[in-house]
Amino acid sequence: MKQFLIAPSILSANFACLGEDIKQVLSAGADIIHFDVMDNHYVPNLTIGPMVLKSLRKYNITAPVDVHLMTKPVESLIPKFAKAGANFITVHPESTNNLSITLQNIRDCGCKSGVVLNPNTSINCLDYILDKLDLIVLMSVNPGFGGQCFISSTFDKLKYVKKKIQNSSYKILLEVDGGIKLHNIADIALAGADILVVGSAIFNSLDYISVITSIRKKLDKVSKIINYI
C-alpha cells in the first residue's frame, strides 16, 4: 500500500524546548521534520537558521529534515544548511535569478532538491526543471505564518501537478504545506500528496501520540482506497 509521510512543521513547536518537542513528535510516529526558514524579507516573519539545525543534529535528532527556504537571496544559505544536516532543501522560484542552477547547487551539496509554489505562483515553471527535482511543494496557504486556513483551490493544482509527475519519467515526491487538519488531510492525500506538512494541528495538541495516530488512521484508509482503485 502507498505510504504517506507526515512532516510536522516546527514553526508551531515550543521553541523553549525544541529538541524535546521534536523528539516527542518523532516518537509519536512522525516521519520528517519540516524546517521553516524565514528572513523577514521574502516573507513577513523571522525564524531560524542553520545553527539551530546543527544544534538539533547534535541533540541526536536523526530523522530526515526538510528545509524550506523562504528567503531572498537564497543561494548562500544552501551550503550552510546542507552542512548543518539538511536532507531536503526547497526554494521558491521568486527567490533566485536562476532556478535551474540553484536546484543543481542543492544536489551538488548532497541534498535532495525541491521547488515550492505559492498559491499565486504559476506551475508553468515545472516544465523546465523536472529533471532537477526530487520534491515539489505546493503551498496551500500564503507563506509567512502558521495556523492559516487551507486554500481550497489547492486541490485542483494538486491533482494537475500529480498527473504531470505521473506522466513524466521522474520520481518526484509531492508535498502539501499549510492549513492541513484532521478534517481535510484524507482529501489532500487522495488528491495526490505524498508528504503532508502538519503544524498547529499537531503541536497545539496536548497529546502528540493521539493526534498523529488519528492522522495515520485516516491516511491508511486513503492507502486502501488507492490500492483498491
Side-chain angles (χ1 to χ4, degrees), residues 57-127:
R57 290 305 194 195
K58 288 183 177 179
Y59 197 68
N60 203 31
I61 301 297
T62 58
V65 173
D66 167 21
V67 174
H68 176 190
L69 294 179
M70 289 167 274
T71 68
K72 187 175 183 179
V74 72
E75 287 80 7
S76 64
L77 288 174
I78 290 169
K80 294 177 182 178
F81 273 102
K83 187 176 180 180
N87 301 95
F88 293 86
I89 296 180
T90 61
V91 299
H92 291 255
E94 303 89 350
S95 69
T96 176
N97 291 326
N98 193 316
L99 181 57
S100 182
I101 290 176
T102 298
L103 292 169
Q104 186 59 52
N105 286 342
I106 293 172
R107 287 183 170 180
D108 290 344
C109 286
C111 297
K112 294 185 181 298
S113 62
V115 66
V116 189
L117 304 181
N118 288 339
N120 63 343
T121 300
S122 171
I123 59 178
N124 291 337
C125 69
L126 296 177
D127 293 334

Side-chain angles (χ1 to χ4, degrees), residues 5 9 15 50 65 71 156 165 174 190 194 198 212:
L5 300 175
S9 168
F15 277 71
V65 173
T71 68
D156 290 336
I165 293 171
L174 184 50
L190 192 57
D194 302 302
V198 187
I212 292 178

Side-chain angles (χ1 to χ4, degrees), residues 87-189:
N87 301 95
F88 293 86
I89 296 180
T90 61
V91 299
H92 291 255
E94 303 89 350
S95 69
T96 176
N97 291 326
N98 193 316
L99 181 57
S100 182
I101 290 176
T102 298
L103 292 169
Q104 186 59 52
N105 286 342
I106 293 172
R107 287 183 170 180
D108 290 344
C109 286
C111 297
K112 294 185 181 298
S113 62
V115 66
V116 189
L117 304 181
N118 288 339
N120 63 343
T121 300
S122 171
I123 59 178
N124 291 337
C125 69
L126 296 177
D127 293 334
Y128 308 99
I129 58 171
L130 285 178
D131 62 320
K132 298 288 194 302
L133 294 176
D134 302 294
L135 178 65
I136 297 172
V137 184
L138 299 183
M139 293 300 300
S140 41
V141 298
N142 289 303
F145 296 93
Q148 299 182 63
C149 294
F150 184 88
I151 296 173
S152 60
S153 60
T154 306
F155 281 113
D156 290 336
K157 200 172 188 179
L158 175 55
K159 292 173 185 177
Y160 183 89
V161 174
K162 186 66 174 184
K163 186 171 292 186
K164 194 175 193 67
I165 293 171
Q166 290 172 336
N167 290 337
S168 76
S169 59
Y170 303 107
K171 293 182 179 180
I172 302 171
L173 293 170
L174 184 50
E175 179 178 296
V176 178
D177 180 4
I180 299 179
K181 311 289 183 184
L182 277 171
H183 74 271
N184 61 12
I185 195 166
D187 290 334
I188 297 167

Side-chain angles (χ1 to χ4, degrees), residues 1-5 194 216 220 223:
M1 291 199 308
K2 179 177 176 62
Q3 295 297 312
F4 295 99
L5 300 175
D194 302 302
R216 188 67 70 188
D220 286 345
S223 292

Side-chain angles (χ1 to χ4, degrees), residues 6-7 18 30-31 42 45 60 65 72 79-80 101 117 119 125 160 177 181 186 203 205 209 211 215-216 221 227-228:
I6 301 171
L18 185 58
D31 302 294
Y42 179 70
N45 199 358
N60 203 31
V65 173
K72 187 175 183 179
K80 294 177 182 178
I101 290 176
L117 304 181
C125 69
Y160 183 89
D177 180 4
K181 311 289 183 184
F203 285 109
S205 169
I209 294 177
V211 69
I215 290 172
R216 188 67 70 188
K221 287 182 180 179
N227 188 58
Y228 178 77

